[in-house]
Amino acid sequence: MLNVFTLKNGRLVQQEIDDPQTLAALQPVWVDLESADPRELGWVEARFGLSIPTDVLDQDLEESARFYEEEEENQLHLRSDFLISDEERPRNERVAFIIHGSVLFSIHTHDLTVFRLLRLRARRMPGLIENATDVLLALYLTDAEYSADTLEGIYDDLEAIGAHILKPRPSDQDASQALTGIAQQEDLNGRIRRNVMDTRRALSFLLRSRHLSADQSVEARQILRDLDSLDGHTAFLFDKINFLMDATVGFININQNKVIKIFSVASVAMLPPTLIASIYGMNFKLMPELDWRFGYPFALALMVISVIAPFWFFRKKGWLD
């Protein structure tokens, strides 16, 4: 899909392009290539004299490969990760940015929440976007706000998990559900931390490149301060996650120990009647109980008493609670 954004009365106007003639008639500030096919890439390259690298979305972590400037071509290249906090599969989506002349080009394979939020905000707030660099900074700012909102959601989810698992006598099923929820929130929190780190690197590169105006530099530094504040929140959430994880595992161990304790008490309580039955099963000739009329009921009663006595003693000591 090829989405082209132009400025009209200070607002971003979006238009989906179906043919190169329509593209040639526009003066865009932002061209968004979402899962663009080779034909659409050819339209863009022909219209703007831009060469899009074939490895533009490669997962290369070296900063020199992700952030660089081509002075001869008057191009700025950045590759940044954006968060997708999908409940089923949260992930970080790689987006390649190219600022060529006065146009920002973004290349990615999936629709991004941050992009949708920016489009909505730019339509409602005239004057928010004035040029291609403003679009890029607004995307990074929206990404930081989206990460902050997701962190708040993680905190709420952890509060619900804590209330569920920290209730009196949680069951193994409660603990199992809590472990699943905690693991999901830990994964999402880690992805937010990675996303924040990546955005910080991109903004630092923009500041070093001196590609920003004075006002844009001030805005970039403010975004960096916002990102720094998110680091403290992610660290706090990691601590809370570790606490809930330890508490949940502890409850599981306690429940397992209760089961083991029951088996231990039962085995100990069965030792005396086993001993009695073993003694009377010897069939020695001179055992007086063998010829006693009440010998059999006496042995049975003795075994029952020998079972009851240990349970009474354990109950009195509180070992069965």
Side-chain angles (χ1 to χ4, degrees):
M1 183 183 299
L2 186 59
N3 289 315
V4 174
F5 298 85
T6 57
L7 286 176
K8 184 177 181 180
N9 298 326
R11 290 185 171 90
L12 275 181
V13 178
Q14 179 180 353
Q15 185 173 348
E16 292 187 8
I17 301 299
D18 296 325
D19 58 82
Q21 292 75 24
T22 305
L23 179 62
L26 298 175
Q27 295 295 328
V29 67
W30 176 21
V31 177
D32 184 38
L33 297 98
E34 178 189 334
S35 299
D37 57 39
R39 183 188 56 170
E40 293 170 334
L41 292 176
W43 296 348
V44 172
E45 292 178 347
R47 164 67 175 82
F48 299 98
L50 173 68
S51 178
I52 300 176
T54 56
D55 61 346
V56 69
L57 292 177
D58 281 359
Q59 300 293 320
D60 196 338
L61 295 179
E62 287 78 9
E63 185 171 357
S64 60
R66 297 181 62 182
F67 310 107
Y68 62 93
E69 186 173 6
E70 293 184 356
E71 295 183 1
E72 295 181 358
E73 301 291 337
N74 190 26
Q75 292 179 3
L76 201 65
H77 293 254
L78 303 94
R79 301 180 193 179
S80 297
D81 293 334
F82 285 81
L83 179 69
I84 300 179
S85 61
D86 189 278
E87 292 185 359
E88 296 182 357
R89 191 172 70 89
R91 58 197 183 276
N92 297 89
E93 176 78 11
R94 174 64 53 82
V95 179
F97 294 108
I98 302 174
I99 297 181
H100 177 67
S102 59
V103 183
L104 172 68
F105 300 87
S106 56
I107 303 100
H108 53 101
T109 55
H110 297 93
D111 187 26
L112 297 169
T113 305
V114 170
F115 282 46
R116 295 198 303 270
L117 291 173
L118 176 61
R119 294 195 294 263
L120 180 63
R121 179 179 297 177
R123 285 197 297 267
R124 294 180 175 178
M125 299 174 61
L128 178 66
I129 303 296
E130 295 181 359
N131 52 47
T133 311
D134 281 344
V135 176
L136 185 58
L137 288 177
L139 284 171
Y140 286 137
L141 175 60
T142 307
D143 188 41
E145 293 174 347
Y146 180 62
S147 297
D149 293 340
T150 307
L151 285 174
E152 292 181 1
I154 293 176
Y155 185 84
D156 293 338
D157 290 341
L158 290 177
E159 285 290 305
I161 292 173
H164 186 66
I165 194 62
L166 297 177
K167 65 183 181 181
R169 299 181 181 276
S171 65
D172 286 347
Q173 184 177 2
D174 294 334
S176 177
Q177 293 175 352
L179 280 178
T180 301
I182 292 170
Q184 291 172 344
Q185 300 309 317
E186 194 278 338
D187 176 69
L188 182 55
N189 192 46
R191 292 183 182 279
I192 292 174
R193 189 154 194 164
R194 170 187 169 182
N195 190 62
V196 167
M197 179 185 68
D198 184 85
T199 305
R200 185 185 291 113
R201 292 171 61 192
L203 289 169
S204 298
F205 168 75
L206 285 174
L207 289 170
R208 292 195 306 270
S209 70
R210 299 181 181 178
H211 202 79
L212 306 179
S213 66
D215 291 340
Q216 289 171 340
S217 296
V218 172
E219 183 179 358
R221 291 188 175 90
Q222 180 59 50
I223 299 173
L224 284 173
R225 285 191 289 271
D226 293 341
L227 294 174
D228 290 338
S229 68
L230 294 183
D231 276 340
H233 289 287
T234 56
F236 167 76
L237 287 175
F238 274 127
D239 290 339
K240 188 175 183 64
I241 287 169
N242 288 332
F243 164 73
L244 289 175
M245 184 71 74
D246 292 341
T248 303
V249 173
F251 286 130
I252 291 175
N253 291 334
I254 290 173
N255 290 338
Q256 291 178 343
N257 289 337
K258 288 180 180 178
V259 175
I260 298 300
K261 182 172 65 174
I262 292 173
F263 280 109
S264 299
V265 169
S267 62
V268 171
M270 294 303 295
L271 285 177
T274 303
L275 176 62
I276 295 171
S278 300
I279 293 174
Y280 286 109
M282 293 178 182
N283 293 322
F284 287 121
K285 183 177 181 180
L286 299 178
M287 292 180 69
E289 291 84 1
L290 292 179
D291 298 325
W292 184 28
R293 178 182 177 183
F294 300 105
Y296 178 64
F298 170 75
L300 292 179
L302 191 60
M303 285 189 284
V304 171
I305 293 172
S306 65
V307 172
I308 295 175
F311 277 106
W312 174 81
F313 179 77
F314 294 150
R315 174 69 70 182
K316 184 177 181 181
K317 290 290 186 179
W319 296 348
L320 296 179
D321 297 334

Short mmCIF file of all heavy atoms in Angstrom, two decimals, residues 6-30:
data_model
loop_
_atom_site.label_atom_id
_atom_site.label_comp_id
_atom_site.label_asym_id
_atom_site.label_seq_id
_atom_site.Cartn_x
_atom_site.Cartn_y
_atom_site.Cartn_z
N THR A 6 0.08 14.97 2.17
CA THR A 6 0.41 16.35 1.82
C THR A 6 -0.11 17.28 2.92
O THR A 6 -0.93 16.88 3.75
CB THR A 6 -0.23 16.73 0.47
OG1 THR A 6 -1.65 16.53 0.54
CG2 THR A 6 0.35 15.87 -0.66
N LEU A 7 0.37 18.50 2.91
CA LEU A 7 -0.06 19.50 3.88
C LEU A 7 -1.11 20.41 3.26
O LEU A 7 -0.92 20.94 2.16
CB LEU A 7 1.12 20.33 4.36
CG LEU A 7 2.10 19.65 5.32
CD1 LEU A 7 3.28 20.55 5.62
CD2 LEU A 7 1.40 19.25 6.61
N LYS A 8 -2.22 20.55 3.98
CA LYS A 8 -3.27 21.45 3.54
C LYS A 8 -3.82 22.19 4.74
O LYS A 8 -4.37 21.57 5.65
CB LYS A 8 -4.38 20.67 2.83
CG LYS A 8 -5.49 21.56 2.25
CD LYS A 8 -6.52 20.75 1.50
CE LYS A 8 -7.59 21.64 0.91
NZ LYS A 8 -8.62 20.85 0.17
N ASN A 9 -3.61 23.50 4.77
CA ASN A 9 -4.04 24.34 5.89
C ASN A 9 -3.44 23.83 7.21
O ASN A 9 -4.11 23.83 8.25
CB ASN A 9 -5.57 24.38 5.99
CG ASN A 9 -6.21 24.99 4.77
OD1 ASN A 9 -5.65 25.90 4.15
ND2 ASN A 9 -7.38 24.49 4.40
N GLY A 10 -2.19 23.39 7.14
CA GLY A 10 -1.50 22.95 8.35
C GLY A 10 -1.87 21.56 8.80
O GLY A 10 -1.41 21.12 9.86
N ARG A 11 -2.68 20.85 8.04
CA ARG A 11 -3.09 19.50 8.40
C ARG A 11 -2.55 18.48 7.40
O ARG A 11 -2.39 18.80 6.22
CB ARG A 11 -4.62 19.38 8.45
CG ARG A 11 -5.28 20.11 9.60
CD ARG A 11 -6.78 19.81 9.60
NE ARG A 11 -7.46 20.32 10.79
CZ ARG A 11 -7.99 21.53 10.89
NH1 ARG A 11 -7.93 22.34 9.85
NH2 ARG A 11 -8.59 21.92 11.99
N LEU A 12 -2.29 17.27 7.90
CA LEU A 12 -1.88 16.19 7.01
C LEU A 12 -3.10 15.64 6.28
O LEU A 12 -4.11 15.31 6.91
CB LEU A 12 -1.22 15.06 7.81
CG LEU A 12 0.27 15.17 8.11
CD1 LEU A 12 0.74 13.94 8.88
CD2 LEU A 12 1.10 15.33 6.85
N VAL A 13 -3.00 15.55 4.98
CA VAL A 13 -4.06 14.99 4.16
C VAL A 13 -3.54 13.70 3.55
O VAL A 13 -2.51 13.70 2.86
CB VAL A 13 -4.50 15.97 3.06
CG1 VAL A 13 -5.58 15.33 2.19
CG2 VAL A 13 -5.00 17.27 3.68
N GLN A 14 -4.23 12.60 3.80
CA GLN A 14 -3.80 11.29 3.33
C GLN A 14 -4.49 10.91 2.03
O GLN A 14 -5.68 11.17 1.84
CB GLN A 14 -4.10 10.23 4.39
CG GLN A 14 -3.71 8.81 4.00
CD GLN A 14 -4.03 7.81 5.11
OE1 GLN A 14 -4.43 8.20 6.20
NE2 GLN A 14 -3.86 6.55 4.82
N GLN A 15 -3.71 10.28 1.15
CA GLN A 15 -4.28 9.82 -0.12
C GLN A 15 -3.60 8.52 -0.51
O GLN A 15 -2.36 8.43 -0.52
CB GLN A 15 -4.07 10.88 -1.21
CG GLN A 15 -4.73 10.52 -2.53
CD GLN A 15 -4.67 11.65 -3.54
OE1 GLN A 15 -4.33 12.78 -3.19
NE2 GLN A 15 -5.01 11.37 -4.78
N GLU A 16 -4.41 7.51 -0.83
CA GLU A 16 -3.88 6.24 -1.31
C GLU A 16 -3.65 6.33 -2.81
O GLU A 16 -4.52 6.77 -3.55
CB GLU A 16 -4.83 5.08 -0.99
CG GLU A 16 -4.94 4.78 0.49
CD GLU A 16 -5.75 3.52 0.76
OE1 GLU A 16 -6.09 2.81 -0.22
OE2 GLU A 16 -6.05 3.25 1.93
N ILE A 17 -2.46 5.90 -3.22
CA ILE A 17 -2.06 6.05 -4.61
C ILE A 17 -2.22 4.72 -5.35
O ILE A 17 -1.73 3.68 -4.88
CB ILE A 17 -0.60 6.54 -4.70
CG1 ILE A 17 -0.45 7.89 -3.97
CG2 ILE A 17 -0.15 6.65 -6.14
CD1 ILE A 17 -1.30 8.98 -4.54
N ASP A 18 -2.89 4.78 -6.51
CA ASP A 18 -3.11 3.60 -7.32
C ASP A 18 -2.40 3.64 -8.67
O ASP A 18 -2.38 2.63 -9.39
CB ASP A 18 -4.61 3.39 -7.58
CG ASP A 18 -5.38 3.13 -6.29
OD1 ASP A 18 -4.81 2.47 -5.39
OD2 ASP A 18 -6.53 3.59 -6.17
N ASP A 19 -1.82 4.80 -9.00
CA ASP A 19 -1.16 4.90 -10.31
C ASP A 19 -0.07 5.97 -10.21
O ASP A 19 -0.13 6.88 -9.38
CB ASP A 19 -2.17 5.25 -11.41
CG ASP A 19 -2.91 6.55 -11.12
OD1 ASP A 19 -2.34 7.62 -11.41
OD2 ASP A 19 -4.03 6.50 -10.58
N PRO A 20 0.94 5.90 -11.06
CA PRO A 20 2.06 6.85 -10.99
C PRO A 20 1.66 8.26 -11.39
O PRO A 20 2.30 9.23 -10.98
CB PRO A 20 3.08 6.25 -11.96
CG PRO A 20 2.30 5.38 -12.88
CD PRO A 20 1.17 4.84 -12.06
N GLN A 21 0.61 8.42 -12.21
CA GLN A 21 0.20 9.76 -12.62
C GLN A 21 -0.31 10.57 -11.43
O GLN A 21 0.00 11.77 -11.31
CB GLN A 21 -0.90 9.67 -13.70
CG GLN A 21 -0.44 9.11 -15.04
CD GLN A 21 -0.24 7.61 -15.03
OE1 GLN A 21 -0.85 6.91 -14.19
NE2 GLN A 21 0.58 7.10 -15.95
N THR A 22 -1.08 9.93 -10.57
CA THR A 22 -1.57 10.63 -9.38
C THR A 22 -0.41 11.02 -8.48
O THR A 22 -0.39 12.12 -7.91
CB THR A 22 -2.55 9.74 -8.61
OG1 THR A 22 -3.61 9.32 -9.47
CG2 THR A 22 -3.13 10.48 -7.42
N LEU A 23 0.56 10.13 -8.34
CA LEU A 23 1.73 10.42 -7.50
C LEU A 23 2.52 11.59 -8.07
O LEU A 23 3.01 12.44 -7.31
CB LEU A 23 2.60 9.17 -7.39
CG LEU A 23 3.89 9.30 -6.57
CD1 LEU A 23 3.56 9.64 -5.12
CD2 LEU A 23 4.70 8.02 -6.64
N ALA A 24 2.65 11.66 -9.38
CA ALA A 24 3.44 12.72 -10.00
C ALA A 24 2.83 14.10 -9.79
O ALA A 24 3.53 15.11 -9.80
CB ALA A 24 3.61 12.43 -11.49
N ALA A 25 1.51 14.14 -9.58
CA ALA A 25 0.83 15.43 -9.43
C ALA A 25 0.86 15.96 -8.02
O ALA A 25 0.40 17.08 -7.77
CB ALA A 25 -0.63 15.29 -9.89
N LEU A 26 1.39 15.20 -7.06
CA LEU A 26 1.37 15.60 -5.66
C LEU A 26 2.73 16.10 -5.20
O LEU A 26 3.77 15.71 -5.74
CB LEU A 26 0.94 14.41 -4.79
CG LEU A 26 -0.47 13.85 -5.04
CD1 LEU A 26 -0.70 12.62 -4.18
CD2 LEU A 26 -1.53 14.91 -4.74
N GLN A 27 2.70 16.96 -4.20
CA GLN A 27 3.92 17.45 -3.54
C GLN A 27 3.85 17.01 -2.07
O GLN A 27 3.48 17.78 -1.19
CB GLN A 27 4.02 18.97 -3.65
CG GLN A 27 4.20 19.50 -5.05
CD GLN A 27 5.53 19.05 -5.65
OE1 GLN A 27 6.53 18.89 -4.95
NE2 GLN A 27 5.53 18.83 -6.98
N PRO A 28 4.20 15.76 -1.80
CA PRO A 28 4.00 15.23 -0.45
C PRO A 28 5.09 15.68 0.52
O PRO A 28 6.19 16.08 0.13
CB PRO A 28 4.05 13.72 -0.67
CG PRO A 28 4.96 13.55 -1.84
CD PRO A 28 4.72 14.74 -2.71
N VAL A 29 4.73 15.57 1.79
CA VAL A 29 5.71 15.76 2.85
C VAL A 29 6.11 14.42 3.47
O VAL A 29 7.15 14.28 4.09
CB VAL A 29 5.15 16.71 3.93
CG1 VAL A 29 3.98 16.06 4.66
CG2 VAL A 29 6.23 17.12 4.92
N TRP A 30 5.23 13.41 3.25
CA TRP A 30 5.49 12.08 3.82
C TRP A 30 4.90 11.03 2.88
O TRP A 30 3.74 11.13 2.47
CB TRP A 30 4.84 11.99 5.20
CG TRP A 30 4.94 10.65 5.89
CD1 TRP A 30 5.84 9.65 5.64
CD2 TRP A 30 4.10 10.18 6.94
NE1 TRP A 30 5.63 8.58 6.47
CE2 TRP A 30 4.57 8.88 7.29
CE3 TRP A 30 3.03 10.71 7.64
CZ2 TRP A 30 3.96 8.12 8.29
CZ3 TRP A 30 2.44 9.95 8.63
CH2 TRP A 30 2.91 8.68 8.96
#
